[in-house]
Amino acid sequence: MYQVVPGGAGGTITDVIPKQKHSKDTRPLVGAGVIGLVLVVAAVTAWCYYIASIRKAELLKTQLLDLNKDGYIIRNQGGSIVFRMDFRSGTLDLDSCSKEGEMLSCGQTTDRKLNFFIETVRPKDTVQCYRVRWEELVPDIPVEHAMTYTFAHWYGGAVSAIQHWPVSIKGQQAPKPFVTSDIYANRNEFGGILESYWLSSNATAIKINNSVPFHLGWNDTEKTMSFQARYNDSPFKPNPGEEPCAELSYRVCVGLDVTSIHKYMVRRYFNKPNKVPAKVMFRHPIWSTWALHKTDIDQEKVLEYAANIRKYNFNCSQLEIDDRYTRRYGEYEFDPTKFPNATAMFQKLKSDGFLASLWIHPFVNYDSENFHTCVERGLFVREPTGRLPALVRWWNGIGGILDFTNPEARDWFSSQLRSLRSRYGVSSFKFDAGETNFLPWKFSTRTPIQDPSFFTRRYTEMAIPYNDRAELRSGYQSQNISCFFRPIDRDSVWGYELGLKSIIPTVLTISILGYQFILPDMIGGNAYLNRTEGIHVLPDRELYIRWLELIAFMPSMQFSIPPWEYDNEVVEIARKYTALHESLVAPRVLELASEVLDTGDPIIRPLWWIATGDETAYKIDSQFLIGDDLMVAPVLEPGKQERDIYLPAGRWKSYKGERFDIKEPLHLTDYPVDLDEIAYFVWV
């Protein structure tokens, strides 16, 4: 405070605060100061937001995974993206996210509450895993995540009618129930052997939890596979008493290479067989009556078939009497017209050194004598209310399907099989069907099941008492059943749709899914006139020979169309390859089979199993390994007596005696392979 004398000297003295005047020269300086202050405030604000965004970004990272509102990515140790998943069922509200230790969790999307988390788990130094769960809190809202598959080649999932290796995705498919189905009749569905597991060439694997109501879709334009959980418009059911709130939960694991990450996943997530089937089933062929006689089978034809096996000097692990040995489906007595003395027939087979097995199925047709019994005792799968048995249609008619969740139905079915075994000395059974497509869309079982494919699992359990020699064509979480698993029937054609070219991709897929005791169906295929190469019912001669050569290098062989239906040359080729199978292949397979009990590792392996760093090996679908030291390259094209062969680095000796000591993979172009040959190479 200071004094001012207004008007100059002699005026009145007053205490005042001076009023400053701004000249035109000082106003720009004031404006600049204001702007500067605003900029400083803006800079501080931006810095605060920047620091907050860094903190949020750090919050949304866990190990090598980065989460954002629309999905997440996973990188490998080198910093490359190996996995990307987009959220299709909502956008996360990142402000609702928090991090505690190695767990990221969020409680809100932009429009609703949910439970979401990603937890990092490091089970071993070479493996990094992420547990992911998206749980809806409102009923009937589906959860969908979309995996981009462009980063690598992918394997696994399910067998299919058109089988490729690696997985080949074409067109668009809205998510549909991932359940077992008969792909011979329903060629666009998932097959009878499936597991919700996929593996990639960049050492990434994903396993969907078994509790998920899982639906799978794809889009080849977006290059995505859609993983969806839902109960609405679905055969999946929530647990009794629970709201139908969908939950998609799974685990993604990243390893050093594709082989090692698969070994980890198999040991962690798959059942293991508890025994090896009968060794003779690996060494000697099974002989089935199906493709030769179809349903027109009788006692005379069975005995003639057995006599010819002996006449042409072939070994036999067992003789399989297939469809229509009973009068009606669902009965367990031999048709007395077709088999006037079944007891004598079995005695004759036994005296000639044959063990016999029978075709069996889970259906009881409405015209069967057992149908009324099963209805009265409540042994069938029922319609949704549970009050009435559900009629189902299958390829041999209409009837009921036994409810294998019902202990009484299991006991009744088992008693029928035991009776056949004790009365006739039957060695085992070929368990046909078991897929969920034979169930009604809505159904009721004695013990409620949430996942329809669990019915497949219950059916496969019926083979356990006969697992030394039993044969199954469907499987879900059934790796421990210890039976031979047979991919569904093949057509007598060359191609990828249930033909010769489909065998290697199918066997490799089943192997990756944990099923190692594989019977790749009948040599030459089903021999249906309208689904057979050539003008005759018999499969094309060249196709039959190439099929025979390939199957000789599989874990087990099965004939139905016998080689003597052709000519002496085909008979000699068949003798040559059944002998080679017994002397070269079976000993290796049996050695590996014993290891499966502990490891679950495949017996039949893809080439990348020993060549994880070679991009070419990931795409080869016409060669395979038995163990690590026997590589097989069959001819799968008509009219060819040569083929290109990929030889992994190492020391190899060909079946012709040639030696290849190579430090880099080698391509043998137009390698000659005669009609009576199959190219194979042994690690020296």
Side-chain angles (χ1 to χ4, degrees), residues 391-436:
L391 288 180
V392 300
R393 181 182 293 278
W394 62 298
W395 68 90
N396 278 330
I398 298 174
I401 184 169
L402 291 168
D403 178 4
F404 293 104
T405 75
N406 181 351
E408 291 182 40
R410 294 163 67 90
D411 289 344
W412 182 84
F413 184 72
S414 295
S415 70
Q416 307 304 317
L417 303 190
R418 287 195 302 270
S419 176
L420 286 168
R421 184 169 62 175
S422 62
R423 184 172 179 181
Y424 300 110
V426 172
S427 65
S428 192
F429 297 92
K430 172 184 178 178
F431 291 81
D432 211 350
E435 297 90 348
T436 64

Short mmCIF file of all heavy atoms in Angstrom, two decimals, residues 391-436:
data_model
loop_
_atom_site.label_atom_id
_atom_site.label_comp_id
_atom_site.label_asym_id
_atom_site.label_seq_id
_atom_site.Cartn_x
_atom_site.Cartn_y
_atom_site.Cartn_z
N LEU A 391 -37.81 -92.25 -30.69
CA LEU A 391 -37.49 -93.03 -31.88
C LEU A 391 -36.43 -92.29 -32.68
O LEU A 391 -36.49 -91.07 -32.84
CB LEU A 391 -38.75 -93.24 -32.73
CG LEU A 391 -39.80 -94.21 -32.20
CD1 LEU A 391 -40.97 -94.29 -33.16
CD2 LEU A 391 -39.21 -95.59 -31.97
N VAL A 392 -35.47 -93.04 -33.18
CA VAL A 392 -34.39 -92.45 -33.96
C VAL A 392 -34.27 -93.19 -35.29
O VAL A 392 -34.60 -94.38 -35.39
CB VAL A 392 -33.04 -92.50 -33.20
CG1 VAL A 392 -33.13 -91.73 -31.89
CG2 VAL A 392 -32.61 -93.94 -32.93
N ARG A 393 -33.80 -92.47 -36.30
CA ARG A 393 -33.55 -93.10 -37.60
C ARG A 393 -32.04 -93.27 -37.78
O ARG A 393 -31.26 -92.35 -37.54
CB ARG A 393 -34.11 -92.23 -38.74
CG ARG A 393 -33.89 -92.85 -40.12
CD ARG A 393 -34.42 -91.94 -41.21
NE ARG A 393 -35.87 -91.81 -41.15
CZ ARG A 393 -36.72 -92.69 -41.67
NH1 ARG A 393 -36.26 -93.78 -42.28
NH2 ARG A 393 -38.01 -92.50 -41.58
N TRP A 394 -31.65 -94.46 -38.17
CA TRP A 394 -30.25 -94.71 -38.50
C TRP A 394 -30.20 -95.40 -39.86
O TRP A 394 -31.24 -95.56 -40.51
CB TRP A 394 -29.56 -95.53 -37.40
CG TRP A 394 -30.12 -96.90 -37.14
CD1 TRP A 394 -31.37 -97.23 -36.72
CD2 TRP A 394 -29.42 -98.15 -37.29
NE1 TRP A 394 -31.51 -98.59 -36.58
CE2 TRP A 394 -30.33 -99.19 -36.93
CE3 TRP A 394 -28.13 -98.49 -37.67
CZ2 TRP A 394 -29.97 -100.54 -36.96
CZ3 TRP A 394 -27.77 -99.84 -37.68
CH2 TRP A 394 -28.68 -100.83 -37.34
N TRP A 395 -29.03 -95.80 -40.33
CA TRP A 395 -28.92 -96.26 -41.71
C TRP A 395 -29.60 -97.61 -41.96
O TRP A 395 -29.80 -98.00 -43.10
CB TRP A 395 -27.47 -96.28 -42.18
CG TRP A 395 -26.59 -97.31 -41.50
CD1 TRP A 395 -26.36 -98.58 -41.90
CD2 TRP A 395 -25.78 -97.12 -40.34
NE1 TRP A 395 -25.49 -99.22 -41.05
CE2 TRP A 395 -25.10 -98.34 -40.09
CE3 TRP A 395 -25.54 -96.04 -39.47
CZ2 TRP A 395 -24.22 -98.51 -39.01
CZ3 TRP A 395 -24.67 -96.21 -38.41
CH2 TRP A 395 -24.02 -97.43 -38.18
N ASN A 396 -29.98 -98.31 -40.89
CA ASN A 396 -30.67 -99.58 -41.06
C ASN A 396 -32.08 -99.56 -40.49
O ASN A 396 -32.61 -100.61 -40.11
CB ASN A 396 -29.86 -100.72 -40.42
CG ASN A 396 -28.75 -101.23 -41.33
OD1 ASN A 396 -28.88 -101.19 -42.55
ND2 ASN A 396 -27.67 -101.69 -40.74
N GLY A 397 -32.70 -98.40 -40.42
CA GLY A 397 -34.09 -98.39 -40.00
C GLY A 397 -34.41 -97.41 -38.89
O GLY A 397 -33.70 -96.43 -38.66
N ILE A 398 -35.49 -97.71 -38.16
CA ILE A 398 -36.00 -96.84 -37.10
C ILE A 398 -36.15 -97.67 -35.83
O ILE A 398 -36.61 -98.82 -35.87
CB ILE A 398 -37.36 -96.24 -37.49
CG1 ILE A 398 -37.21 -95.36 -38.73
CG2 ILE A 398 -37.96 -95.43 -36.34
CD1 ILE A 398 -38.53 -94.85 -39.27
N GLY A 399 -35.77 -97.08 -34.72
CA GLY A 399 -35.90 -97.78 -33.45
C GLY A 399 -35.49 -96.90 -32.30
O GLY A 399 -35.49 -95.66 -32.40
N GLY A 400 -35.13 -97.53 -31.19
CA GLY A 400 -34.62 -96.80 -30.04
C GLY A 400 -33.11 -96.92 -29.97
O GLY A 400 -32.52 -97.84 -30.55
N ILE A 401 -32.50 -95.99 -29.27
CA ILE A 401 -31.05 -96.06 -29.05
C ILE A 401 -30.83 -96.22 -27.55
O ILE A 401 -31.42 -95.49 -26.73
CB ILE A 401 -30.33 -94.82 -29.61
CG1 ILE A 401 -28.81 -94.96 -29.45
CG2 ILE A 401 -30.83 -93.52 -29.00
CD1 ILE A 401 -28.01 -93.91 -30.22
N LEU A 402 -30.03 -97.20 -27.19
CA LEU A 402 -29.83 -97.53 -25.78
C LEU A 402 -29.18 -96.36 -25.04
O LEU A 402 -28.28 -95.70 -25.56
CB LEU A 402 -28.97 -98.78 -25.64
CG LEU A 402 -29.64 -100.08 -26.10
CD1 LEU A 402 -28.62 -101.21 -26.20
CD2 LEU A 402 -30.77 -100.47 -25.14
N ASP A 403 -29.65 -96.12 -23.83
CA ASP A 403 -29.17 -95.02 -23.00
C ASP A 403 -28.00 -95.52 -22.14
O ASP A 403 -28.21 -96.12 -21.09
CB ASP A 403 -30.31 -94.50 -22.12
CG ASP A 403 -29.86 -93.38 -21.19
OD1 ASP A 403 -28.69 -92.95 -21.28
OD2 ASP A 403 -30.70 -92.93 -20.38
N PHE A 404 -26.78 -95.25 -22.60
CA PHE A 404 -25.61 -95.78 -21.90
C PHE A 404 -25.24 -94.97 -20.66
O PHE A 404 -24.26 -95.30 -19.99
CB PHE A 404 -24.44 -95.89 -22.87
CG PHE A 404 -24.66 -96.92 -23.94
CD1 PHE A 404 -24.98 -96.55 -25.24
CD2 PHE A 404 -24.60 -98.27 -23.64
CE1 PHE A 404 -25.22 -97.49 -26.21
CE2 PHE A 404 -24.84 -99.23 -24.61
CZ PHE A 404 -25.15 -98.84 -25.91
N THR A 405 -26.03 -93.94 -20.35
CA THR A 405 -25.86 -93.30 -19.04
C THR A 405 -26.67 -94.03 -17.97
O THR A 405 -26.53 -93.74 -16.78
CB THR A 405 -26.31 -91.83 -19.07
OG1 THR A 405 -27.75 -91.76 -19.09
CG2 THR A 405 -25.75 -91.10 -20.28
N ASN A 406 -27.52 -94.95 -18.40
CA ASN A 406 -28.39 -95.71 -17.51
C ASN A 406 -27.71 -97.03 -17.15
O ASN A 406 -27.48 -97.87 -18.03
CB ASN A 406 -29.72 -95.98 -18.22
CG ASN A 406 -30.71 -96.75 -17.36
OD1 ASN A 406 -30.38 -97.24 -16.28
ND2 ASN A 406 -31.94 -96.86 -17.84
N PRO A 407 -27.38 -97.26 -15.89
CA PRO A 407 -26.71 -98.51 -15.52
C PRO A 407 -27.48 -99.75 -15.94
O PRO A 407 -26.88 -100.77 -16.31
CB PRO A 407 -26.60 -98.41 -13.99
CG PRO A 407 -26.64 -96.96 -13.69
CD PRO A 407 -27.54 -96.35 -14.74
N GLU A 408 -28.81 -99.70 -15.92
CA GLU A 408 -29.60 -100.86 -16.33
C GLU A 408 -29.43 -101.15 -17.82
O GLU A 408 -29.35 -102.32 -18.23
CB GLU A 408 -31.08 -100.62 -16.01
CG GLU A 408 -31.40 -100.61 -14.52
CD GLU A 408 -32.89 -100.43 -14.29
OE1 GLU A 408 -33.70 -101.04 -15.03
OE2 GLU A 408 -33.26 -99.67 -13.37
N ALA A 409 -29.39 -100.11 -18.63
CA ALA A 409 -29.19 -100.30 -20.07
C ALA A 409 -27.79 -100.84 -20.35
O ALA A 409 -27.61 -101.71 -21.21
CB ALA A 409 -29.40 -98.98 -20.81
N ARG A 410 -26.81 -100.34 -19.62
CA ARG A 410 -25.44 -100.83 -19.79
C ARG A 410 -25.37 -102.32 -19.42
O ARG A 410 -24.74 -103.12 -20.13
CB ARG A 410 -24.48 -100.01 -18.93
CG ARG A 410 -24.36 -98.56 -19.37
CD ARG A 410 -23.73 -97.68 -18.27
NE ARG A 410 -22.34 -98.03 -18.03
CZ ARG A 410 -21.31 -97.48 -18.68
NH1 ARG A 410 -21.53 -96.58 -19.63
NH2 ARG A 410 -20.07 -97.82 -18.41
N ASP A 411 -26.00 -102.67 -18.32
CA ASP A 411 -25.97 -104.06 -17.88
C ASP A 411 -26.68 -104.97 -18.89
O ASP A 411 -26.22 -106.08 -19.19
CB ASP A 411 -26.64 -104.20 -16.51
CG ASP A 411 -25.79 -103.59 -15.39
OD1 ASP A 411 -24.59 -103.34 -15.64
OD2 ASP A 411 -26.34 -103.34 -14.30
N TRP A 412 -27.82 -104.49 -19.41
CA TRP A 412 -28.57 -105.31 -20.37
C TRP A 412 -27.76 -105.52 -21.64
O TRP A 412 -27.65 -106.65 -22.13
CB TRP A 412 -29.90 -104.62 -20.70
CG TRP A 412 -30.75 -105.43 -21.64
CD1 TRP A 412 -31.60 -106.45 -21.32
CD2 TRP A 412 -30.82 -105.28 -23.07
NE1 TRP A 412 -32.19 -106.96 -22.45
CE2 TRP A 412 -31.74 -106.26 -23.54
CE3 TRP A 412 -30.21 -104.43 -23.97
CZ2 TRP A 412 -32.04 -106.39 -24.89
CZ3 TRP A 412 -30.51 -104.56 -25.33
CH2 TRP A 412 -31.41 -105.53 -25.78
N PHE A 413 -27.17 -104.46 -22.16
CA PHE A 413 -26.34 -104.57 -23.37
C PHE A 413 -25.14 -105.48 -23.12
O PHE A 413 -24.82 -106.36 -23.93
CB PHE A 413 -25.89 -103.16 -23.78
CG PHE A 413 -25.11 -103.10 -25.07
CD1 PHE A 413 -25.73 -103.30 -26.29
CD2 PHE A 413 -23.75 -102.82 -25.06
CE1 PHE A 413 -25.01 -103.22 -27.48
CE2 PHE A 413 -23.03 -102.74 -26.24
CZ PHE A 413 -23.67 -102.94 -27.46
N SER A 414 -24.49 -105.29 -21.99
CA SER A 414 -23.32 -106.12 -21.65
C SER A 414 -23.70 -107.58 -21.53
O SER A 414 -22.93 -108.47 -21.94
CB SER A 414 -22.69 -105.64 -20.33
OG SER A 414 -22.17 -104.34 -20.45
N SER A 415 -24.88 -107.84 -21.00
CA SER A 415 -25.30 -109.24 -20.84
C SER A 415 -25.51 -109.90 -22.19
O SER A 415 -25.23 -111.10 -22.36
CB SER A 415 -26.58 -109.32 -20.00
OG SER A 415 -27.70 -108.81 -20.71
N GLN A 416 -25.98 -109.13 -23.18
CA GLN A 416 -26.15 -109.69 -24.52
C GLN A 416 -24.79 -110.04 -25.13
O GLN A 416 -24.64 -111.10 -25.76
CB GLN A 416 -26.88 -108.70 -25.43
CG GLN A 416 -28.20 -108.17 -24.89
CD GLN A 416 -29.19 -109.27 -24.55
OE1 GLN A 416 -29.36 -110.24 -25.29
NE2 GLN A 416 -29.85 -109.13 -23.40
N LEU A 417 -23.81 -109.18 -24.93
CA LEU A 417 -22.47 -109.45 -25.47
C LEU A 417 -21.82 -110.64 -24.77
O LEU A 417 -21.19 -111.49 -25.42
CB LEU A 417 -21.59 -108.20 -25.34
CG LEU A 417 -22.10 -106.91 -26.00
CD1 LEU A 417 -21.00 -105.85 -25.98
CD2 LEU A 417 -22.59 -107.15 -27.41
N ARG A 418 -21.99 -110.70 -23.46
CA ARG A 418 -21.43 -111.83 -22.72
C ARG A 418 -22.05 -113.14 -23.17
O ARG A 418 -21.37 -114.18 -23.26
CB ARG A 418 -21.62 -111.64 -21.22
CG ARG A 418 -20.73 -110.57 -20.60
CD ARG A 418 -20.71 -110.70 -19.07
NE ARG A 418 -22.04 -110.58 -18.49
CZ ARG A 418 -22.59 -109.43 -18.11
NH1 ARG A 418 -21.91 -108.30 -18.24
NH2 ARG A 418 -23.81 -109.41 -17.58
N SER A 419 -23.35 -113.10 -23.45
CA SER A 419 -24.03 -114.31 -23.90
C SER A 419 -23.47 -114.79 -25.24
O SER A 419 -23.24 -115.99 -25.43
CB SER A 419 -25.53 -114.04 -24.02
OG SER A 419 -26.20 -115.17 -24.54
N LEU A 420 -23.23 -113.87 -26.16
CA LEU A 420 -22.64 -114.24 -27.45
C LEU A 420 -21.25 -114.82 -27.26
O LEU A 420 -20.86 -115.79 -27.93
CB LEU A 420 -22.60 -113.02 -28.37
CG LEU A 420 -23.94 -112.56 -28.96
CD1 LEU A 420 -23.80 -111.18 -29.59
CD2 LEU A 420 -24.44 -113.56 -29.99
N ARG A 421 -20.50 -114.23 -26.36
CA ARG A 421 -19.14 -114.71 -26.16
C ARG A 421 -19.14 -116.10 -25.52
O ARG A 421 -18.38 -116.98 -25.93
CB ARG A 421 -18.35 -113.73 -25.27
CG ARG A 421 -16.89 -114.14 -25.09
CD ARG A 421 -16.05 -113.06 -24.45
NE ARG A 421 -16.49 -112.71 -23.12
CZ ARG A 421 -15.84 -111.86 -22.33
NH1 ARG A 421 -14.73 -111.26 -22.76
NH2 ARG A 421 -16.30 -111.58 -21.12
N SER A 422 -19.98 -116.29 -24.53
CA SER A 422 -19.97 -117.59 -23.84
C SER A 422 -20.59 -118.69 -24.70
O SER A 422 -20.15 -119.85 -24.66
CB SER A 422 -20.70 -117.48 -22.50
OG SER A 422 -22.06 -117.13 -22.71
N ARG A 423 -21.60 -118.34 -25.48
CA ARG A 423 -22.31 -119.36 -26.26
C ARG A 423 -21.50 -119.81 -27.48
O ARG A 423 -21.49 -121.00 -27.81
CB ARG A 423 -23.66 -118.82 -26.70
CG ARG A 423 -24.53 -119.84 -27.43
CD ARG A 423 -25.92 -119.30 -27.66
NE ARG A 423 -26.76 -120.26 -28.37
CZ ARG A 423 -28.02 -120.05 -28.71
NH1 ARG A 423 -28.61 -118.91 -28.36
NH2 ARG A 423 -28.71 -120.96 -29.36
N TYR A 424 -20.84 -118.85 -28.13
CA TYR A 424 -20.16 -119.18 -29.39
C TYR A 424 -18.64 -119.03 -29.34
O TYR A 424 -17.96 -119.35 -30.31
CB TYR A 424 -20.69 -118.28 -30.51
CG TYR A 424 -22.17 -118.43 -30.75
CD1 TYR A 424 -23.05 -117.40 -30.43
CD2 TYR A 424 -22.70 -119.60 -31.30
CE1 TYR A 424 -24.41 -117.51 -30.65
CE2 TYR A 424 -24.06 -119.73 -31.53
CZ TYR A 424 -24.91 -118.69 -31.19
OH TYR A 424 -26.26 -118.81 -31.41
N GLY A 425 -18.14 -118.52 -28.23
CA GLY A 425 -16.70 -118.29 -28.18
C GLY A 425 -16.26 -117.07 -28.97
O GLY A 425 -15.13 -117.01 -29.46
N VAL A 426 -17.16 -116.09 -29.11
CA VAL A 426 -16.82 -114.86 -29.83
C VAL A 426 -15.66 -114.16 -29.12
O VAL A 426 -15.66 -114.02 -27.89
CB VAL A 426 -18.05 -113.92 -29.89
CG1 VAL A 426 -17.68 -112.57 -30.47
CG2 VAL A 426 -19.16 -114.57 -30.71
N SER A 427 -14.66 -113.74 -29.90
CA SER A 427 -13.46 -113.16 -29.30
C SER A 427 -13.64 -111.70 -28.93
O SER A 427 -13.09 -111.23 -27.93
CB SER A 427 -12.28 -113.29 -30.26
OG SER A 427 -12.49 -112.51 -31.43
N SER A 428 -14.41 -110.95 -29.73
CA SER A 428 -14.55 -109.53 -29.46
C SER A 428 -15.66 -108.98 -30.35
O SER A 428 -16.40 -109.74 -30.99
CB SER A 428 -13.24 -108.79 -29.71
OG SER A 428 -13.31 -107.47 -29.19
N PHE A 429 -15.74 -107.62 -30.40
CA PHE A 429 -16.82 -106.98 -31.15
C PHE A 429 -16.30 -105.75 -31.89
O PHE A 429 -15.38 -105.07 -31.44
CB PHE A 429 -17.95 -106.57 -30.20
CG PHE A 429 -18.59 -107.74 -29.51
CD1 PHE A 429 -18.14 -108.17 -28.27
CD2 PHE A 429 -19.63 -108.44 -30.12
CE1 PHE A 429 -18.71 -109.26 -27.64
CE2 PHE A 429 -20.21 -109.54 -29.49
CZ PHE A 429 -19.75 -109.95 -28.25
N LYS A 430 -16.94 -105.50 -33.01
CA LYS A 430 -16.73 -104.27 -33.78
C LYS A 430 -17.88 -103.34 -33.41
O LYS A 430 -19.01 -103.52 -33.84
CB LYS A 430 -16.74 -104.57 -35.28
CG LYS A 430 -16.72 -103.34 -36.17
CD LYS A 430 -16.83 -103.74 -37.64
CE LYS A 430 -16.87 -102.54 -38.56
NZ LYS A 430 -16.94 -102.94 -39.99
N PHE A 431 -17.60 -102.33 -32.58
CA PHE A 431 -18.62 -101.42 -32.09
C PHE A 431 -18.83 -100.31 -33.13
O PHE A 431 -17.97 -99.44 -33.31
CB PHE A 431 -18.20 -100.80 -30.75
CG PHE A 431 -18.19 -101.78 -29.61
CD1 PHE A 431 -17.12 -102.64 -29.42
CD2 PHE A 431 -19.25 -101.85 -28.72
CE1 PHE A 431 -17.10 -103.55 -28.36
CE2 PHE A 431 -19.24 -102.74 -27.66
CZ PHE A 431 -18.17 -103.60 -27.48
N ASP A 432 -19.96 -100.36 -33.80
CA ASP A 432 -20.25 -99.38 -34.84
C ASP A 432 -21.09 -98.25 -34.26
O ASP A 432 -21.69 -98.37 -33.19
CB ASP A 432 -20.99 -100.05 -36.00
CG ASP A 432 -20.68 -99.42 -37.34
OD1 ASP A 432 -20.05 -98.34 -37.36
OD2 ASP A 432 -21.05 -100.01 -38.38
N ALA A 433 -21.13 -97.12 -34.98
CA ALA A 433 -21.92 -95.93 -34.61
C ALA A 433 -21.41 -95.36 -33.28
O ALA A 433 -20.23 -95.45 -32.97
CB ALA A 433 -23.40 -96.24 -34.59
N GLY A 434 -22.32 -94.76 -32.50
CA GLY A 434 -21.96 -94.10 -31.25
C GLY A 434 -21.90 -92.59 -31.35
O GLY A 434 -21.70 -91.91 -30.34
N GLU A 435 -22.08 -92.05 -32.57
CA GLU A 435 -22.02 -90.60 -32.74
C GLU A 435 -23.30 -89.93 -32.26
O GLU A 435 -24.38 -90.53 -32.25
CB GLU A 435 -21.77 -90.24 -34.22
CG GLU A 435 -20.46 -90.74 -34.77
CD GLU A 435 -20.54 -92.14 -35.39
OE1 GLU A 435 -21.59 -92.82 -35.20
OE2 GLU A 435 -19.59 -92.54 -36.07
N THR A 436 -23.20 -88.66 -31.91
CA THR A 436 -24.35 -87.96 -31.32
C THR A 436 -25.41 -87.58 -32.33
O THR A 436 -26.53 -87.24 -31.94
CB THR A 436 -23.89 -86.68 -30.59
OG1 THR A 436 -23.35 -85.77 -31.56
CG2 THR A 436 -22.84 -86.99 -29.55
#
